Amino acid sequence: MNQRQKIVVLSGAGVSAESGVATFRDHNGLWENHRIEDVATPEAWRKNPALVLEFYNKRRKQLLEVQPNEAHLLIAELEKYYDVYIITQNVDDLHERAGSTKVLHLHGELKKVRSTLDENLVYHINEIDPKGWELKLGDRCAKGSQLRPHIVWFGELVPMMEEAIRITQTANIMIIIGTSLLVYPAAGLSYYLPKNASIYVIDPQKPDFLFTSPFVKFITQKATTGMKELFKELTKDFIN
Ligand code: OAD
C-alpha cells in the first residue's frame, strides 16, 4: 500500500480572520488598539502586568465567542487523504475545534497559562477560572508565583521550533496560509523542506516570500475561498 503523503500547514492570523479574530498587521500597526511592544513583550509584563493580563483576558473571552471557519474545516478534512501536521503561529484553538488532530502552537496557546517561576508548570485556564477566560493578578502557581499567559512574547525563545523543523524536513507539501511571514523563526520554516516539496501560499496579499522554488504556487485569495480551491486540487486524485 502506498504511504500517505505528508502535508505541513504553516498558518498565521489570516486563517482565523474570517472567524472574526483580528490579524496583527492589517490595522496601521496596531493590534486591537495596542502597540505590540505594550502587550506582547517581557518588558510590557514587567512594566504593566495588569494591562498585559487584561489584553489577553479580552482575547481569551473573544475566543469563547468565535467559531472555526471553512478554511479550518477543510484543513481538518485533508486528514482523510493525507498525513497532516499543523504548525500554527496562532494562539487560538480554532484548528483543534475544526477537528485537526496534530497541531503544534509555535507562539503558545491562549487557553493555557503558566508559572513565572517554572515554565513547565502549565495550567488550562479552566483550572484557574471556571468562566474559562480570566487570569488575575494574585492567581498563583503551585509554587506560589504569579501566573502569566502561556504565550511566546517577542524577545523570547520559541521552544517548539526544533520540533517544527523536524516535522517540516520530511514533508511532501507545505501550505502557508494567512501569514505575513514577517516573524522569525516561523517565517523561515520552508527552508527546511525537502527540495522537491510543493508549496502553496494562500493570502489575499501576496506575502514577501523570499524562498525560491519552482514548486511554489500562490493563491491570492482569502483563506476560505483559497482553501476551497486548494482542497479540490489536492483531493482530485482521491475523489472521482
Ligand atoms: P500578520 O497579521 O502579520 O499577517 C496576517 C496575514 O494574513 C497577512 O499576510 C494578511 O494579508 C493575511 N490575511 C488577512 N486576512 C486574511 C484572510 N481572510 N484570509 C487569509 N489571509 C488573510 O499575522 P502573522 O503572520 O500570523 O506573534 O503574525 C505572526 C506573529 O506576529 C503572530 O503569531 C504574533 C504576531 O505578533 C506573537 O504574538 C508572538
Side-chain angles (χ1 to χ4, degrees):
M1 211 176 105
N2 281 344
Q3 236 194 327
R4 276 147 66 101
Q5 290 217 307
K6 178 171 176 182
I7 296 184
V8 171
V9 179
L10 173 63
S11 69
V15 77
S16 298
E18 289 162 88
S19 293
V21 182
T23 58
F24 299 94
R25 295 181 179 79
D26 289 328
H27 313 275
N28 309 318
L30 290 185
W31 178 24
E32 300 280 4
N33 300 320
H34 293 278
R35 295 183 316 151
I36 284 175
E37 53 270 38
D38 291 338
V39 287
T41 61
E43 291 72 35
W45 175 245
R46 271 196 295 276
K47 252 193 347 218
N48 195 345
L51 174 74
V52 174
L53 287 180
E54 190 199 343
F55 177 79
Y56 284 101
N57 285 344
K58 281 192 186 150
R59 307 280 74 73
R60 228 178 267 117
K61 197 171 180 192
Q62 179 197 38
L63 190 51
L64 297 176
E65 290 152 16
V66 300
Q67 304 298 332
N69 63 48
E70 186 84 20
H72 298 106
L73 293 167
L74 286 173
I75 290 169
E77 206 176 327
L78 282 176
E79 290 192 21
K80 288 186 187 158
Y81 313 96
Y82 292 90
D83 191 17
V84 183
Y85 290 77
I86 318 280
I87 299 174
T88 187
Q89 298 166 83
N90 298 345
V91 295
D92 65 50
D93 61 351
L94 296 178
H95 282 301
E96 287 92 337
R97 279 158 56 191
S100 285
T101 57
K102 293 184 285 254
V103 186
L104 181 151
H105 287 270
L106 273 180
H107 293 163
E109 291 173 72
L110 262 182
K111 291 262 182 88
K112 293 181 180 170
V113 299
R114 71 167 184 259
S115 162
T116 41
L117 192 69
D118 176 356
E119 63 183 17
N120 296 315
L121 260 185
V122 178
Y123 301 85
H124 194 279
I125 187 67
N126 291 349
E127 297 174 70
I128 310 302
D129 172 26
K131 300 187 300 302
W133 58 270
E134 194 173 24
L135 182 63
K136 298 193 286 282
L137 283 176
D139 285 336
R140 297 182 183 282
C141 73
K143 293 182 177 173
S145 81
Q146 173 67 42
L147 289 167
R148 59 164 271 184
H150 185 51
I151 302 284
V152 177
W153 285 325
F154 281 90
E156 295 186 319
L157 292 174
V158 182
M160 300 307 279
M161 195 58 198
E162 269 182 36
E163 173 74 357
I165 291 171
R166 203 185 53 72
I167 292 168
T168 304
Q169 279 169 333
T170 54
N172 304 101
I173 298 167
M174 178 175 258
I175 302 172
I176 299 176
I177 181 164
T179 171
S180 57
L181 291 173
L182 289 172
V183 174
Y184 282 80
L189 208 55
S190 57
Y191 289 100
Y192 296 93
L193 284 168
K195 292 242 173 322
N196 57 353
S198 312
I199 303 174
Y200 298 91
V201 182
I202 301 176
D203 199 300
Q205 286 172 19
K206 211 166 156 180
D208 266 343
F209 189 59
L210 302 176
F211 187 77
T212 48
S213 154
F215 305 111
V216 183
K217 180 175 175 193
F218 290 95
I219 301 175
T220 319
Q221 290 178 38
K222 287 185 173 181
T224 52
T225 45
M227 257 321 291
K228 271 186 211 156
E229 181 181 320
L230 183 56
F231 185 85
K232 264 196 205 145
E233 181 166 337
L234 291 176
T235 57
K236 65 177 188 291
D237 293 337
F238 301 95
I239 302 166
N240 46 38

